[in-house]
Amino acid sequence: MSAWIILCSGCFVVVLGVSTLTGSRGIAAYTRSPRAGWGGIAMGGGFVLDGGARLLGLSSGAGMVVSTIALGVIVLGAVFQLRAGMFARARHAGDADRAVRFS
């Protein structure tokens, strides 16, 4: 059961990453670059890789190797998202422009 949850949540994160890249979630509103989308795809891909290995019933040695690779991909995706400012507070440019214009 946990493998299905990991696989489904990974697919959901991949979809969110793709929608960030395509702009349907408004990439300019909260990130500085499309690296956040690639980070989401990498994180979701790591979860899909880990869940898929569990569902396929790989041996314990092969499962450990696949899980280690999946963990590396997840960490890489998190680094991409942090570098892109995914979790930083968004500052709306409209407010700053108005303050400069009227001062």
Side-chain angles (χ1 to χ4, degrees):
M1 182 67 180
S2 66
W4 283 107
I5 293 171
I6 294 170
L7 187 71
C8 291
S9 64
C11 290
F12 180 72
V13 174
V14 167
V15 168
L16 287 179
V18 169
S19 67
T20 300
L21 272 179
T22 59
S24 61
R25 287 189 62 210
I27 187 168
Y30 60 91
T31 61
R32 291 187 296 253
S33 73
R35 282 186 290 189
W38 289 113
I41 292 171
M43 286 182 71
F47 285 119
V48 167
L49 188 63
D50 189 31
R54 291 177 188 222
L55 284 176
L56 290 176
L58 297 177
S59 66
S60 61
M64 184 183 70
V65 170
V66 171
S67 292
T68 303
I69 293 170
L71 178 65
V73 171
I74 291 168
V75 169
L76 180 68
V79 168
F80 276 167
Q81 287 188 351
L82 289 173
R83 297 280 298 158
M86 179 77 170
F87 302 111
R89 287 189 152 231
R91 186 178 67 88
H92 297 285
D95 297 337
D97 290 341
R98 193 172 352 143
V100 171
R101 199 175 325 138
F102 292 117
S103 58

